[in-house]
Amino acid sequence: MDQPCVVAVGCDTQSARAVRQAWLHHGQRYLNTVLATSEHSGTSMSVEEITQRYALKEAVAKALAVRSDEPWAWRWIAVHKSPAGVEDHDGVPAGAQRWSVHVTDGALQTAQRQGIDQWRAWSWFCGHGVTASGYATVVALTGAKS
Amino acid sequence: MSQDRSQLVETIRDVVAQHAHLSSDAASLSASESLYTAGMTSHASVNVMLGVEDAFDIEFPEEMLTKETFESLDSIAQAVATLQDEQ
Amino acid sequence: MSLRTELGATDKVADQHEIPTGTTVVRDLPPDTHNTWEQRVEAVVAVAREHADDVDRQGRFPHEAIGECRRQRIFGAVVPQARGGRAVSIVELCALIEELGRVCGSTAAIVAMHFSQELCLTRHVDLEQESALTAVTERVAAEQWLLASSTTEKNIGGDTRTSSCAVVENGDGTVTVCKSAPVISYARYADAILVTARRHPEAPSSEQVLVVAPKSALKLDRTTPWDALGLRGTMSEGFELEATVSADHVLPVDFATISSHTMLPASHTLWASSWLGLASAAGDLARKFVQKKARATPGELPPGALRLAELEIELQRMTDVVRVNVRRFADQADDVSVLGSMPFAIAMNTLKVSTSELVRQIVGDAMVIVGIASYSNTGPWSLARPLRDAMGPSLQVNNDRILKNTATLQMVSRGRR
């Protein structure tokens, strides 16, 4: 039976304080930079959520091994919350939020070049005040092998 | 370096000082030194990009959003100069 | 130990420890001792320790330590006994690398890289069948071949799951691969190089195979030298590589499988073990220093004692994460469903990211504790070479996508930004 094969893993930690500062300073332009169109909701998003979304996108970038001369836009990655209670919680803390990952544009080309066509992604949030951070682990998979 | 170009670099230095959260003083950076090595994280580069767009009233097209573009004061200046020429 | 060459050298060798390309090398090995594995390890570590400073100072290949590896029949250690190896476990292998890491970061790195390749052979070649690949695997053990790896490619960045170069059939039962390799560590000194390439010229860039190219089948043109801050003995130079081998030198298993089941977990656990050795040795020095100070001022807490306590905690953390994950790989090494699973992949990634940071932190902290004596390049308290060697890992992990020159070592990894 052909099972998806793990190609790469990426992880990231992002300071919520830095996200909050960026949002306060640059406002909507910051959100337009880090969020994909499909991620903009009518209601406002919490700093905790934006922090985790950013960490997820950075983790995706690492899993894709994006080159330093390759364009990279965070809005090329859209993450959406999946219902909780799915397989494979080993490696991430219990209660971690599961996400679906959709890559477009340059990110999609980078993924396709490596045969990456599936993702698993989790995020969680820890800490208070200065140390409050979002964490993300992302796994890039290639589908059924030929 | 021409007068314009060095002014460009100094304006960018101010943006970097404000937004890049470097481990060393932005004033002491050479124009070609790696900002990443000096402590600029990926998230900080978002702020630097937005700050540079503000300072020069430009918008970076997606194909210019590479890690190399934001590598140093010089590389950012080069990108800004290119965009200004095109306007 | 002498080195005879048949067929004559086609290229001028730069130094006498190189294995020339295009030749078939026959190695005269002294008879094997009856040493235990522990004794063999001890012998190699002693030689590595003796020459580590010179290797670093000159930025040269640690030929003495590698020579001792051959004398002690270290290469081929994971080959099954029926094929001339010692069937050493992954845990014992990582222990060897850790011990080497304590005394010479470059030797540890080279031996780690060798075994990440040897494991590809022992785990993905059907050694119960006679074949060209089985014969190569036997030669690794019998003739003490040093194996190198060429996974990265120019203009592909540090992404090892994409190749531009392809295996080309020559129509006579042989195949050729041409590759612009930004980094092939110790290529000039290796007996064979395992090269990734696309399966054939029409294959998509992610459909890769692994080709075993003995030195006799190789042409190497060096494009970039190696003169780095640390791990100076790894000779991570760049080359234009051309290999022409019989078609049965291509591993039958696709590289995606080899990578996730073997090359990645092996590389991560072996490298992490070498970094643990590096960090532990620095920690030992810091501890000795504080103890010496404590003896000089009995009844008083010596300066550095609190810092040392923090360092011990970091070192314990690093030891735990390495031991747990080496054990995890060793225990699950034959369970394909686990090896391909996400928890395993996540654990290996975490191992790599955390240990590459911890080694830099710990060696740096040890330097702060020992103080100015550690800043010297010489003397019993010097931590200069360990510090430089310890800077490498997080850069590899951070920047193996940013292959500006050849400043990065070849490591199958992804990582930080």
Side-chain angles (χ1 to χ4, degrees), chain C residues 9-306:
Chain C
T10 52
D11 299 314
K12 265 190 66 180
V13 299
D15 77 60
Q16 52 164 173
H17 304 287
E18 266 188 41
I19 315 292
T21 53
T23 64
T24 299
V25 152
V26 178
R27 191 169 275 123
D28 280 335
L29 291 166
D32 192 10
T33 62
H34 293 289
N35 288 344
T36 62
W37 176 253
E38 286 72 26
Q39 287 168 326
R40 295 169 191 271
V41 169
E42 217 181 292
V44 175
V45 168
V47 174
R49 181 190 294 117
E50 193 186 329
H51 299 278
D53 283 335
D54 193 61
V55 164
D56 175 69
R57 193 169 306 120
Q58 292 194 52
R60 66 170 178 84
F61 183 67
H63 64 88
E64 301 94 341
I66 299 303
E68 190 63 22
C69 280
R70 291 192 167 114
R71 204 162 301 149
Q72 299 295 339
R73 304 297 195 274
I74 298 292
F75 302 137
V78 296
V79 173
Q81 279 156 338
R83 292 294 178 187
R86 344 188 60 81
V88 158
S89 71
I90 284 164
V91 174
E92 287 172 295
L93 202 59
C94 287
L96 160 69
I97 307 291
E98 190 182 324
E99 287 308 303
L100 282 172
R102 292 176 142 272
V103 303
C104 178
S106 294
T107 305
I110 292 168
V111 178
M113 286 187 269
H114 163 87
F115 279 108
S116 73
Q117 302 309 297
E118 189 176 314
L119 284 163
C120 291
L121 293 178
T122 60
R123 287 162 62 79
H124 298 287
V125 173
D126 183 358
L127 295 174
E128 287 180 15
Q129 300 296 325
E130 299 302 326
S131 70
L133 289 171
T134 297
V136 165
T137 310
E138 284 178 322
R139 291 185 77 177
V140 173
E143 296 173 40
Q144 290 298 294
W145 275 19
L146 176 64
L147 301 175
S149 169
S150 175
T151 53
T152 53
E153 190 176 351
K154 230 190 204 161
N155 299 324
I156 307 281
D159 167 12
T160 58
R161 284 298 314 282
T162 302
S163 288
S164 167
C165 65
V167 176
V168 176
E169 282 181 23
N170 298 320
D172 58 358
T174 66
V175 297
T176 297
V177 179
C178 296
K179 191 164 190 169
S180 291
V183 183
I184 309 178
S185 298
Y186 59 89
R188 288 191 280 132
Y189 306 88
D191 292 289
I193 303 181
L194 278 64
V195 188
T196 54
R198 282 181 301 131
R199 187 181 289 280
H200 56 79
E202 277 72 54
S205 56
S206 57
E207 206 180 299
Q208 298 164 296
V209 291
L210 190 62
V211 181
V212 181
K215 238 352 166 19
S216 55
L218 277 168
K219 281 206 204 101
L220 289 174
D221 282 315
R222 187 168 58 164
T223 51
T224 34
W226 177 249
D227 183 10
L229 184 68
L231 298 178
R232 291 172 53 73
T234 59
M235 311 308 289
S236 302
E237 302 167 321
F239 297 89
E240 289 296 316
L241 176 152
E242 187 184 315
T244 299
V245 290
S246 61
D248 54 9
H249 275 69
V250 180
L251 265 80
V253 180
D254 64 289
F255 183 67
T257 302
I258 298 175
S259 179
S260 68
H261 290 189
T262 300
M263 215 188 267
L264 280 178
S267 300
H268 294 356
T269 48
L270 291 165
W271 277 103
S273 299
S274 79
W275 302 338
L276 178 61
L278 191 51
S280 302
D284 284 351
L285 207 71
R287 194 179 303 124
K288 259 200 223 99
F289 185 83
V290 173
Q291 283 166 351
K292 188 162 173 261
K293 293 285 161 184
R295 281 193 291 276
T297 57
E300 272 174 46
L301 207 59
L306 287 175

Side-chain angles (χ1 to χ4, degrees), chain A residues 29-30 58 68 72 75-76, chain B residues 43 53-54 62 65 68:
Chain A
R29 286 172 63 230
Y30 169 71
E58 279 297 295
S68 61
W72 173 259
R75 56 180 175 257
W76 290 345
Chain B
H43 190 265
E53 286 186 337
D54 276 346
E62 282 178 350
L65 295 179
E68 276 180 0

Side-chain angles (χ1 to χ4, degrees), chain A residues 5-9 11 58 61-68 72 74 88 90-91 113-115 120 122 137 139 145, chain C residues 155-157 159 161-162 205-206 254 256-257 260 264 340-343 345-346 349 353 401-402 414-417:
Chain A
C5 177
V6 174
V7 174
V9 181
C11 61
E58 279 297 295
K62 291 174 192 181
L64 287 175
V66 177
R67 298 196 305 256
S68 61
W72 173 259
W74 294 271
D88 285 344
D90 285 336
R113 188 179 72 215
Q114 299 171 66
R120 302 281 189 277
W122 297 267
T137 293
V139 182
K145 297 189 285 288
Chain C
N155 299 324
I156 307 281
D159 167 12
R161 284 298 314 282
T162 302
S205 56
S206 57
D254 64 289
T257 302
S260 68
L264 280 178
S341 74
M342 268 171 289
I346 291 171
N349 190 66
V353 172
R401 292 173 271 115
I402 303 176
R414 297 154 188 268
R416 305 171 63 80
R417 266 158 60 88

Side-chain angles (χ1 to χ4, degrees), chain A residues 27-37 40 74-75:
Chain A
Q28 191 61 37
R29 286 172 63 230
Y30 169 71
L31 294 181
N32 293 345
T33 304
V34 304
L35 297 180
T37 320
H40 290 276
W74 294 271
R75 56 180 175 257

